[in-house]
Amino acid sequence: MPKFKSLSFCGLPDHAVGDDGSFWSWRMNRSGVYRWKKLKGTVTKSGHIRVSPYYNQKHLLHRLVALAFLGECPLGKQVCHDNGVPSDNRVSNLYYGTPKNNSDDKFRHGTMPVGEKHSLSKLTDLEVQEIVEKHAAKRPTESSRSFCRRHATFYGVSPITLGAIIRSQRIGRRHPKKKKKNTRSILA
């Protein structure tokens, strides 16, 4: 049985959310009797559920559930979905995290558009693989810079983009940054 919390503390009297991610309203039915009614909401383009408790008022359901069960959102944090499904608003699936945590989750779940899935991608994954193979088979006397200049116009990208691909730093892929050692002396 789900647990419910009222939303009267955030300006939504006669409304409640369940720990299962449900949204409820205290409404009068046709017989004139008040009862709790479960509201569905609408799905946004990003897959989140938006509810409208009153006319011209819209709220994202995962934020309301987190506010009711997890407390107020700390400064600089946002509500994150642990399993990567934006319509899953159960309390056990929500947590407050930094934007970086949220971005890392998207990358981990495979919901972040990278490579040819990205809307601004000019190259397919097959073309990238082809470029890397051509670079590996290039003449030993040819520099990487001249290789990039020669092939950039063929693929319709800049030589800098080809250079990044050759160094395996494709746009959209994350590589951990190397930490620099602090070479400064405390006494200096």
Side-chain angles (χ1 to χ4, degrees):
M1 185 75 179
K3 294 180 182 175
F4 299 96
K5 289 220 177 170
S6 172
L7 295 173
S8 58
F9 67 91
C10 64
L12 296 173
D14 303 332
H15 291 86
V17 289
D19 64 353
D20 60 348
S22 57
F23 183 72
W24 297 80
S25 178
W26 185 248
R27 299 233 169 137
M28 185 188 312
N29 65 12
R30 292 178 184 166
S31 313
V33 178
Y34 279 94
R35 66 179 183 88
W36 285 104
K37 181 180 179 185
K38 186 176 181 180
L39 302 179
K40 290 183 181 178
T42 58
V43 180
T44 64
K45 286 182 184 178
S46 62
H48 294 92
I49 296 176
R50 182 185 299 142
V51 291
S52 300
Y54 299 112
Y55 176 74
N56 208 15
Q57 196 178 44
K58 297 174 183 168
H59 298 279
L60 291 172
L61 184 55
H62 67 284
R63 290 183 185 171
L64 292 175
V65 172
L67 183 63
F69 288 96
L70 303 178
E72 189 135 352
C73 184
L75 191 64
K77 302 246 177 163
Q78 52 190 222
V79 182
C80 304
H81 295 266
D82 198 28
N83 66 359
V85 180
S87 62
D88 185 359
N89 297 310
R90 293 173 295 135
V91 175
S92 58
N93 184 45
L94 301 176
Y95 70 96
Y96 288 127
T98 62
K100 184 176 180 343
N101 294 140
N102 208 3
S103 182
D104 289 345
D105 282 349
K106 289 178 189 174
F107 197 75
R108 182 170 49 97
H109 300 131
T111 56
M112 180 178 280
V114 292
E116 64 183 54
K117 292 179 186 174
H118 196 280
S119 62
L120 299 176
S121 176
K122 291 185 176 182
L123 299 171
T124 65
D125 290 339
L126 192 62
E127 288 173 325
V128 169
Q129 184 179 358
E130 185 179 297
I131 289 167
V132 172
E133 288 170 0
K134 280 183 179 180
H135 183 262
K138 72 176 178 57
R139 296 187 306 265
T141 56
E142 185 180 25
S143 68
S144 290
R145 181 177 283 179
S146 63
F147 173 86
C148 291
R149 282 191 200 131
R150 193 164 48 92
H151 288 84
T153 53
F154 176 76
Y155 288 104
V157 294
S158 71
I160 294 171
T161 303
L162 282 187
I165 289 169
I166 290 167
R167 289 187 307 273
S168 296
Q169 294 176 355
R170 274 185 46 204
I171 310 303
R173 289 235 175 126
R174 290 196 176 187
H175 296 279
K177 293 181 179 178
K178 293 179 183 176
K179 291 185 179 179
K180 294 180 181 177
K181 286 188 176 180
N182 189 359
T183 54
R184 279 185 141 176
S185 172
I186 297 173
L187 302 173

